[in-house]
Amino acid sequence: MVTDGNFLIYSVEMGLLAIGVLENVCMIVAVMSTSALHLNLRILICNCCIGFILMAAGRAMIAIPLCIAHLRDVDISSHAWCFVANAVHHSSADSVCLSFVFIMLERTAGTIWSKDYEKIKIHIFPCVFAFLQWLIPMSMILGNYLDRANRMHYFLEYPHLPCQIEYLTPSMFIITIFIILIGFIASVVGMTVVYKKNISKYNAREIWFTNSNLSERYQISENIRSTHLLFPLLLLMLVFSILSVAVLVYGGYWVGVMTKEPARFEEVVKWFGRGGEAAQLFDIITAIYTISFPICAFKCHPNLFRRLRRVIGWNSYAVRPMNLNEIPGFELTTAPIRTQTEYHFQELSRQWNV
């Protein structure tokens, strides 16, 4: 059922996800309270953070019943509960992976309409993009539910709990990977083109020595600064996506061996784990990504970290009391300070007594 190795990995994963949820909540607070980024971009970044939080919630819905089953030897879950939990987890993960596609589209809009983008509050863009960011993954979950062919009914030769079953069909898994791959390529290409376009606008003579308004210059500068934040986050997603796909391919290979060649069961247990512990590396990688995303954002955009410190009341710029006598060349005298009035009367007394 649930092995000791499974329980240990679930415990570590829940601890990492708890830290990740706290960090993403802080990220939302910092992003929504700053004015260094355009409101449309802030909405989409917060939507990505919400995806991380819901992804952690979906994993908790799966892991907690399994941990209770291991400790109490009782199953409190059901197939319906675990299907919903997997749907929440998969749709949130897909939404996070697709987030940069819509962020790239928003930055493209800010580049095309740079003259009026700051003055005209076009908030329809992030609303539509955020809706599509969740509609596409939910559509894939619906397609997975309707795809009843090729369902995987077992992983090992002993019974499985409902939350140990992978409800994502192989065909929908391939479609999901394909859509995410296309989205990532589009994000990289689009962000590169947007960055170069804004750099060329910023270096153009016309924008500084003509009647170009201040709003346009500010919007172009903001596009460049935001790209400096988004590129590291995009690279971070690439690294963790490669690691995740590698684990999935590794796990899929051994699951295929087990289903097609049951005689190699002992070899599968050796390299994949009796409880499929090797496949849980995917969940650990996802949890680490949940933690790394806000850290990378705070590191690449110091204004966000300063804003977070201000919100939580952590002022690291307070002046430290200093002994003035420690300053080279400065000598603090203890002689009384004479005011102008005192000096005036002392001079009158001296002249009177001459």
Side-chain angles (χ1 to χ4, degrees):
M1 305 295 277
V2 180
T3 65
D4 293 337
N6 293 138
F7 177 76
L8 178 61
I9 296 175
Y10 286 139
S11 301
V12 173
E13 180 189 0
M14 288 297 100
L16 294 175
L17 287 177
I19 298 174
V21 168
L22 180 61
E23 288 184 357
N24 278 277
V25 170
C26 293
M27 178 80 171
I28 292 175
V29 172
V31 169
M32 291 309 297
S33 60
T34 187
S35 57
L37 300 173
H38 196 280
L39 179 59
N40 293 351
L41 178 59
R42 284 183 279 160
I43 291 174
L44 293 177
I45 293 177
C46 289
N47 193 41
C48 181
C49 293
I50 292 173
F52 278 113
I53 294 173
L54 291 179
M55 185 169 58
R59 283 301 304 166
M61 293 172 64
I62 296 171
I64 291 177
L66 294 176
C67 290
I68 294 175
H70 179 76
L71 295 174
R72 300 287 185 177
D73 197 22
V74 59
D75 183 21
I76 62 172
S77 63
S78 64
H79 284 282
W81 170 271
C82 297
F83 180 83
V84 172
N86 275 273
V88 172
H89 177 252
H90 288 308
S91 60
S92 301
D94 296 341
S95 175
V96 168
C97 293
L98 293 174
S99 60
F100 282 95
V101 176
F102 299 102
I103 289 176
M104 178 270 296
L105 293 176
E106 188 276 333
R107 289 292 83 189
T108 303
T111 302
I112 295 175
W113 293 293
S114 57
K115 293 183 179 180
D116 304 317
Y117 196 69
E118 181 63 27
K119 294 186 297 183
I120 302 176
K121 305 299 182 181
I122 312 176
H123 301 320
I124 188 65
F125 284 126
C127 295
V128 173
F129 291 161
F131 175 74
L132 292 176
Q133 185 178 337
W134 287 98
L135 178 62
I136 295 174
M138 294 305 296
S139 300
M140 291 190 290
I141 294 298
L142 178 61
N144 180 74
Y145 177 76
L146 298 176
D147 181 16
R148 299 191 177 276
N150 300 322
R151 285 198 178 275
M152 197 172 297
H153 297 287
Y154 59 90
F155 291 105
L156 301 176
E157 292 185 347
Y158 58 89
H160 272 73
L161 296 174
C163 285
Q164 288 181 306
I165 299 175
E166 177 55 62
Y167 292 89
L168 187 65
T169 62
S171 57
M172 285 307 302
F173 172 76
I174 295 175
I175 293 174
T176 301
I177 294 298
F178 177 76
I179 292 176
I180 292 175
L181 178 62
I182 295 299
F184 178 79
I185 295 174
S187 301
V188 173
V189 174
M191 292 297 296
T192 303
V193 172
V194 167
Y195 179 73
K196 290 183 177 180
K197 184 65 176 178
N198 281 283
I199 287 293
S200 64
K201 282 187 176 183
Y202 189 83
N203 294 331
R205 180 182 178 87
E206 289 76 12
I207 193 174
W208 301 105
F209 298 98
T210 60
N211 293 327
S212 298
N213 55 47
L214 180 62
S215 176
E216 181 181 4
R217 291 196 288 266
Y218 174 82
Q219 182 59 45
I220 294 173
S221 300
E222 195 263 340
N223 290 341
I224 297 173
R225 290 196 306 270
S226 63
T227 307
H228 292 162
L229 165 67
L230 297 174
F231 263 127
L233 295 178
L234 195 58
L235 179 62
L236 186 71
M237 187 183 75
L238 172 62
V239 172
F240 281 97
S241 297
I242 292 175
L243 293 175
S244 301
V245 171
V247 172
L248 291 175
V249 171
Y250 178 81
Y253 168 77
W254 287 110
V255 170
V257 169
M258 180 183 57
T259 55
K260 296 178 182 179
E261 304 178 46
R264 299 176 62 184
F265 175 73
E266 292 299 330
E267 184 181 359
V268 173
V269 170
K270 178 181 178 181
W271 294 103
F272 189 62
R274 183 169 294 276
E277 289 85 354
Q280 287 183 268
L281 288 177
F282 173 84
D283 302 319
I284 296 296
I285 291 172
T286 303
I288 296 175
Y289 181 37
T290 304
I291 294 176
S292 303
F293 183 83
I295 294 176
C296 182
F298 288 135
K299 183 68 175 178
C300 297
H301 204 292
N303 181 270
L304 293 178
F305 195 37
R306 288 196 297 267
R307 177 62 59 176
L308 177 63
R309 289 201 303 262
R310 184 176 301 178
V311 169
I312 65 179
W314 174 21
N315 183 12
S316 62
Y317 298 101
V319 178
R320 181 175 63 87
M322 178 181 294
N323 186 358
L324 297 179
N325 288 324
E326 296 178 356
I327 302 177
F330 182 86
E331 183 179 355
L332 182 62
T333 178
T334 57
I337 300 176
R338 297 193 302 173
T339 63
Q340 184 177 2
T341 303
E342 291 174 341
Y343 178 78
H344 175 71
F345 280 104
Q346 287 176 1
E347 284 295 312
L348 285 179
S349 176
R350 187 177 64 82
Q351 293 292 336
W352 181 267
N353 295 319
V354 170

